[in-house]
């Protein structure tokens, strides 16, 4: 089915190749005169469906941020600060390995301008931005505001009419994926649910299951009433933790903590916090709430009825805090950094897993006989959670180091720390390390041995990463390969030892997987003629997510890579290259009517003019006379489909 879906996508791309100008963002603008020297410019954008437009403040190294460029600012007016933005969302991008920030809903940018030249007639503004879905599009829109004839307090509204491309062509056919926000919330719920089960298997919570269920069955006059009370008890547990998630959302705001996800102090503080949690789980000390709280709540639990049951649930939360607190704290940090209602969803997942056993065992009390007895295995689980907390803590410290670019925690150091942590965990499970609250034992169980083998295997898997192995299983956790002492592996350089001895053709450089790639179209064409090979024209972008995915997961396939190296001359044209063109080479595009000022503008206009497409990635196979050898395609994540497309082009 998966291959069939990719085949359908491939066929759609062929059918719609003449209608691939995509314009997912539409704009309106207005200007308001506040005084003789001050104006407010507002740009309102509507972004279609699941497309993402990126904020001015998205992290460097990822998708392109929005940028307001004032063409006639010098000597005429001043811009005090960046434009204010509408609501944004920050999520981790595992391709670029940064937190990217994009607009969540309609886009609004509000810019204050202060005039210094009373004779100024117009303010000329260019909005440059990137939008992505299955493909990425870098666009710019031009706005011009008449300030000479604008009276005080007058507001003028404008429809954007600069985008002639969108008005003369159809929109490409795309397959709409599941909303990223929904996927993120499902992921948070699932992780929180598993964390709730982990908390359930700790010494503070597990022994309370038979005690609590026995209380309900003995105190209730009928079995039906006992079941009803136990269900209300479980719902009360859920209510308490969901209220906690709601409070976090309300206090910090739905999207304030996510803006801190790349903040140095935020990451350092939570690194310290998680180390404290981990140390507690390992047995150094207990994190407990004041005993007076538990006593007061416990006294209210004797009141009976639903109010008493509610206080019983609250007492469970307080008494078990030494075990659940670190897990809840970690979940809230991770969920809150996603913004929105993620803390509420996280607490719903955690509390549901925590409450389910109490309700189920009350309904079926006979199951209590099959429950394992409390013992040292509960402390083993608690200690194991401590090792996991400790490993996760260094992810926050790594985030801070990456933002600072201090190079204190480069990839090799991070991996060495993880190897030490997981190695110590494996030794602990094998009984070679003893911690304060461990029970004496003369043998280990089969389950504990299986867990030790699993953790030990993961530890061994990490070791080759010190010498440059990609470690795709943990992609996104350690720093990227480029942030290391040896970016290409110990003893290696880009292209291998022999690559430095190869003289590259004029206008070429080493690209992804050491492919020789031309970044100048004409030089690439001339070279292709000299070696009598077809050209693979690659319209790409430095900040194009799916361009990197194609390179990482499709071009890396041995068969595809062999075809690219032996049968094609690769020309990669970056449509988001901001380097300015020489003044003499700048021009007005006859296709779009826009001024072409940068190298990226030039290649984007080249793509639109010659192929009636503006999305990346976009691939075209040409012969030496610059004629297409097959139908161009866009993002094609299926290796077989892409390989067959290359073979079709190279065989003609």
């Amino acid at each position: 089915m998966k291959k069939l879906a990719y085949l359908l996508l491939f066929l759609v791309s062929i059918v719609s190749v003449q209608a691939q100008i995509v314009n997912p963002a539409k704009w309106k603008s207005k200007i308001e005169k506040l005084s003789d020297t001050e104006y407010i410019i507002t740009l309102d954008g509507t972004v279609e469906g699941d497309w993402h437009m990126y904020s001015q403040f998205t992290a460097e190294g990822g998708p392109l941020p929005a940028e307001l460029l004032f063409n006639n600012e010098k000597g005429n007016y001043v811009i005090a600060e960046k434009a204010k933005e509408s609501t944004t969302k920050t999520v981790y991008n595992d391709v670029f390995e940064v937190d990217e920030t994009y607009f969540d809903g309609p886009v609004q940018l509000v810019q204050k301008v202060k005039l210094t030249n009373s004779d100024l007639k117009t303010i000329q503004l260019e909005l440059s931005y990137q939008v992505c879905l299955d493909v990425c599009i870098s666009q710019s829109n031009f706005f011009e505001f008449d300030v000479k004839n604008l009276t005080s307090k007058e507001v003028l509204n404008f429809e954007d009419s600069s985008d002639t491309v969108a008005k003369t062509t159809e929109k490409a056919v795309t397959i709409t994926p599941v909303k990223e926000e929904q996927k993120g919330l499902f992921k948070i719920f699932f992780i929180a649910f598993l964390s709730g089960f982990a908390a359930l298997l700790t010494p503070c919570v597990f022994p309370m299951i038979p005690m609590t269920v026995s209380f309900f069955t003995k105190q209730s006059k009928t079995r039906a009433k006992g079941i009803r009370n136990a269900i209300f008890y479980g719902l009360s547990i859920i209510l308490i933790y969901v209220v906690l998630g709601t409070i976090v959302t309300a206090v910090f705001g739905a999207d304030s903590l996510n803006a801190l996800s790349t903040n140095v102090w935020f990451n350092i503080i939570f690194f310290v916090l998680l180390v404290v949690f981990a140390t507690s789980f390992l047995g150094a000390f207990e994190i407990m709430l004041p005993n007076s709280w538990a006593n007061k709540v416990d006294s209210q639990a004797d009141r009976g009825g639903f109010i008493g049951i509610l206080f019983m649930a609250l007492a469970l939360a307080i008494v078990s805090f030494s075990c659940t607190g670190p897990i809840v704290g970690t979940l809230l940090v991770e969920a809150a950094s996603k913004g929105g209602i993620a803390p509420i969803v996280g607490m719903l997942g955690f509390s549901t897993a925590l409450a389910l056993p109490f309700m189920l065992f009350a309904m079926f009390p006979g199951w209590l006989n099959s429950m394992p007895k409390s013992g040292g295995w509960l402390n083993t689980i608690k200690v194991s959670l401590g090792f996991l907390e400790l490993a996760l803590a260094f992810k926050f410290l790594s985030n801070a180091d990456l933002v600072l670019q201090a190079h204190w925690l480069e990839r090799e150091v991070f991996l060495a720390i993880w190897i030490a942590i997981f190695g110590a965990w494996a030794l602990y499970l094998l009984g070679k390390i003893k911690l304060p609250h461990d029970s004496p034992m003369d043998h280990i169980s089969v389950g504990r041995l299986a867990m030790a083998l699993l953790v030990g295997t993961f530890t061994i898997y990490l070791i080759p990463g010190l010498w440059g192995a990609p470690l795709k299983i943990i992609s996104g956790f350690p720093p990227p390969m480029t942030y290391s002492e040896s970016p290409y592996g110990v003893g290696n350089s880009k292209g291998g030892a022999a690559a430095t001895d190869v003289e590259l053709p004029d206008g070429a450089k080493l690209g992804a997987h050491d492919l020789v790639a031309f970044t100048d179209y004409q030089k690439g064409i001339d070279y292709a003629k000299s070696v009598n090979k077809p050209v693979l024209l690659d319209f790409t972008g430095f900040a194009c997510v799916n361009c990197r995915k194609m390179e990482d997961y499709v071009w890396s396939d041995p068969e595809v890579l062999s075809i690219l190296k032996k049968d094609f001359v690769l020309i990669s044209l970056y449509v988001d290259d901001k380097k300015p063109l020489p003044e003499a080479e700048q021009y007005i595009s006859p296709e779009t009517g826009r001024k072409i000022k940068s190298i990226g503008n030039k290649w984007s206009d080249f793509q639109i003019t010659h192929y009636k497409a503006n999305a990346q990635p976009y691939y075209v196979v040409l012969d030496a006379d610059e004629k297409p050898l097959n139908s161009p395609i866009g993002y094609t994540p299926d290796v077989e489909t892409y390989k067959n497309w290359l073979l079709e082009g190279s065989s003609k």
Side-chain angles (χ1 to χ4, degrees), residues 183-245:
K183 290 192 288 185
L185 291 178
F186 282 133
K187 182 179 178 181
I188 289 170
F189 181 87
F190 180 70
I191 292 173
F193 191 80
L194 293 180
S195 300
F197 275 124
L200 189 69
L201 300 175
T202 57
C204 314
V205 181
F206 189 80
M208 299 187 71
I209 297 175
M211 292 167 43
T212 306
V213 172
S214 297
F215 172 82
F216 285 126
T217 54
K218 290 178 182 178
Q219 296 297 318
S220 304
K221 294 181 180 179
T222 63
R223 183 170 180 270
K225 186 177 180 181
I227 293 174
R228 184 190 65 186
N229 289 342
I231 291 174
F232 184 76
Y233 179 73
L235 294 176
S236 299
I237 294 172
I238 295 173
L239 176 65
I240 289 166
Y241 283 101
V242 169
V243 167
L244 176 61

Side-chain angles (χ1 to χ4, degrees), residues 412-428:
E412 292 90 346
V413 178
F414 182 95
L415 290 175
I417 292 171
W418 266 37
I419 289 167
I421 292 172
F422 284 96
W425 184 11
L427 291 174
Y428 169 78

Side-chain angles (χ1 to χ4, degrees), residues 582-597:
E583 193 73 33
E585 295 182 22
Q586 296 183 13
Y587 63 96
I588 302 298
S589 169
E591 187 76 21
T592 66
R594 293 174 178 164
K595 187 171 184 179
I596 305 304
K597 298 185 294 183

